[in-house]
Amino acid sequence: MSGGAVAAADGGLRCPWGLSTEDYLTYHDTEWGRPVHGDDALFERLCLEAFQSGLSWLTILRRREGFRSAFAGFSIPAVAKFTDADRERLLADAGIIRNRAKVDATLANAKVLADWRGGELDELIWSYAPDRATRPVPRTLGDVPAVTAESTALSKDLKKRGLRFIGPTTAYALMQACGLVDDHLADCVARGTKA
């Protein structure tokens, strides 16, 4: 079946995208689709998904430690205090993606989120998790959507609250990465993994 799960070197079936590099395989098997909670952890994923827009996820994955270092571990209170000097430092940092609009959005989003009560970002994002029992299990990559009604609604809600650089496609990628949906293919060994 075209686009279905493919056997890895260990014989286990995986989503095809997870087999292209060792970095992807590790990410696929240990992170993607597993539940992520906590405001700072979700802020990190939100920022990285925004930086990924228009680029390969592998580009972001391989620079993730650089991003974490540059953005104070994605601590919302810390990033919210970044100054113009920090902004210039970020735009000169070869360890991250030096896109002015994406850097500015990250800094602006941190300032907005710093005014939220603890746990509010987590609650808001997870309130858009669809009922898993009503979602069809993807058998091929062609069965995996790029946008859903939930990701569109999440994007609109975040934008209404002042967050930037979070369209419906980015919101859906966030939902996939953080375990709000399980888009591992039906025959993938990672399907249904919770921890």
Side-chain angles (χ1 to χ4, degrees), residues 4 36 91 126-127 180 186 195:
V36 174
L91 291 172
W126 276 91
S127 74
L180 280 76

Side-chain angles (χ1 to χ4, degrees), residues 131-145:
D131 180 356
R132 287 183 184 234
T134 65
R135 286 180 51 88
V137 175
R139 300 206 64 72
T140 70
L141 292 178
D143 296 334
V144 179

Side-chain angles (χ1 to χ4, degrees), residues 74-96:
F74 290 99
S75 162
I76 293 169
V79 177
K81 293 177 184 171
F82 278 17
T83 64
D84 287 341
D86 290 305
R87 179 179 179 270
E88 293 310 311
R89 171 185 57 81
L90 292 166
L91 291 172
D93 188 338
I96 67 169

Side-chain angles (χ1 to χ4, degrees), residues 38-48 50 74-81 104-125 154 157-166 174:
D39 292 344
D40 289 345
L42 288 166
F43 175 61
E44 174 183 355
R45 300 329 190 279
L46 187 70
C47 294
L48 293 179
F74 290 99
S75 162
I76 293 169
V79 177
K81 293 177 184 171
D104 288 347
T106 300
L107 300 182
N109 289 348
K111 287 179 180 14
V112 169
L113 293 171
D115 290 335
W116 291 20
R117 66 175 166 71
E120 188 172 355
L121 179 61
D122 189 304
E123 288 173 21
L124 175 71
I125 289 174
L154 173 58
D157 198 352
L158 290 170
K159 286 179 181 179
K160 180 179 76 176
R161 295 167 187 252
L163 297 184
R164 297 168 26 192
F165 232 100
I166 179 76
L174 174 76

